[in-house]
Amino acid sequence: MSGPLDSDLLDTYSQVVTAVAAELTPHVAALQVTAPDGRGGAGSAVVVPGDGLMLTNAHVVGRARGGRAVFADGSETDVDVVGADPLSDLAVVRARGATPPPARLGDAATLRVGQLVVAVGNPLGLAGSVTAGVVSGLGRSLPTRDGRTARVVEDVIQTDAALNPGNSGGALADSAGRVVGVNTAVAGWGLGLAVPVNDTTRRIVDALVRDGRVRRAYLGLVSTPAPLPAPLAERTGRRRGLRVVDVVPGSPADRAGLKPGDLVLEAARRPVAEAQSLQRLLFDEAIGRPLPVTVHRRGAMVDVVTVPTELTGR
């Protein structure tokens, strides 16, 4: 039986969630798109700063060139697909008509495991649906596939906020109502994933708006942040690296000899402590150029040289 303290805690929690929902819901639209071959797709999209710009997932828009956005107040507008980046699973669409004001953007770099987050989207066609939970993990990697092309979405936020089909492209917000992620996938019961809003994703969005695409260097690593063993931490003066969970067969990482279980310490002679450290190195200037990587493997330091290729899309 709950007492006054439990009731007070529930009230406080409810106040936060309802306040975030009230602020964020008007900025999130139900998005429907149609590809040239007539195939349709559906998800959510978030109004962001810019002239009619909305942020969603690359897998939501697929090959579509346009579609329609419907907001919580019932207003609608046609949209054009500005560009999509499959590696980050982000896409930008532009509204032809009026939209609500943009949502406030936060910074996923400030998130902590256990922190309250609120998801707003349109799961199963139910507009303006709100779920809440906590950040369950940070720095995750999400392997994806489109036909024969394998990809890895890096630095993903893991949350236990319930996500269902149609949530993709919707907003994940912190307790202040700032958008810190774009919901991207449902990995299993009690497990949702979101692309973070951070310096790297802002760079991606800017490139999509400017050029309609992002030239990305591709390694083919699936990794997760991991603490360094105590002797290694003492020797290097660092506390964390990236544990290689999987290597995509035939990828530049595979050809260079990187293996699951390797602990990545440096890339391009710079310390690597989270997926974003690696992501910052993998833009157009890295394509086709040697990228030295230092890993700790079975008690020894191993240097390999990778040569990232360009992510060619479909």
Side-chain angles (χ1 to χ4, degrees), residues 184-207:
T184 187
V186 182
W189 292 107
L191 176 59
L193 302 172
V195 178
V197 171
N198 53 30
D199 289 342
T200 300
T201 52
R202 284 182 170 87
R203 182 175 176 181
I204 291 168
V205 171
D206 288 344

Side-chain angles (χ1 to χ4, degrees), residues 15-298:
Q15 289 170 12
V16 172
V17 174
T18 54
V20 172
E23 176 175 349
L24 198 57
T25 299
H27 309 291
V28 180
L31 182 66
Q32 294 204 0
V33 297
T34 304
D37 62 4
R39 295 183 181 180
S44 304
V46 186
V47 181
V48 295
D51 183 17
L53 297 180
M54 302 173 69
L55 189 59
T56 185
N57 287 145
H59 79 261
V60 169
V61 302
R63 296 176 174 83
R65 298 174 183 171
R68 192 158 187 81
V70 181
F71 295 97
D73 63 0
S75 61
E76 302 182 14
T77 178
D78 290 330
V79 299
D80 297 310
V81 176
V82 175
D85 177 43
L87 183 58
S88 64
D89 198 20
L90 291 175
V92 175
V93 301
R94 188 187 300 274
R96 294 185 181 181
T99 69
R104 290 187 298 135
L105 300 183
D107 185 359
T110 65
L111 290 177
R112 298 292 181 266
V113 173
Q115 183 173 338
L116 171 67
V117 285
V118 178
V120 178
N122 302 279
L124 306 173
L126 303 174
S129 294
V130 177
T131 57
V134 299
V135 174
S136 305
L138 294 167
R140 305 305 197 205
S141 295
L142 174 66
T144 60
R145 181 173 292 274
D146 184 3
R148 295 182 179 179
T149 303
R151 304 187 178 96
V152 179
V153 181
E154 295 281 10
D155 214 21
V156 172
I157 303 166
Q158 176 186 334
T159 175
D160 67 351
L163 301 177
N164 293 289
N167 268 116
S168 288
L172 187 73
D174 62 16
S175 58
R178 297 169 298 209
V179 178
V180 291
V182 178
N183 302 320
T184 187
V186 182
W189 292 107
L191 176 59
L193 302 172
V195 178
V197 171
N198 53 30
D199 289 342
T200 300
T201 52
R202 284 182 170 87
R203 182 175 176 181
I204 291 168
V205 171
D206 288 344
L208 290 174
V209 173
R210 183 181 64 247
D211 304 321
R213 64 188 290 258
V214 180
R215 292 191 71 214
R216 300 293 301 265
Y218 170 68
L219 277 181
L221 283 180
V222 182
S223 61
T224 187
L228 271 57
L232 182 61
E234 184 176 353
R235 181 167 29 142
T236 62
R238 301 171 193 161
R239 299 178 59 187
R240 300 181 69 80
L242 278 181
R243 179 73 65 186
V244 178
V245 177
D246 195 10
V247 177
V248 177
S251 67
D254 185 30
R255 292 194 294 270
L258 290 169
K259 303 179 183 300
D262 285 349
L263 187 58
V264 181
L265 304 178
E266 291 185 354
R269 311 300 180 197
R270 302 176 188 176
V272 172
E274 69 278 326
Q276 192 177 353
S277 303
L278 196 56
Q279 277 190 318
R280 292 191 190 103
L281 304 175
L282 296 178
F283 284 91
D284 54 351
E285 61 270 17
I287 297 169
R289 298 183 179 180
L291 178 70
V293 178
T294 300
V295 303
H296 187 256
R297 179 188 298 165
R298 298 174 185 166

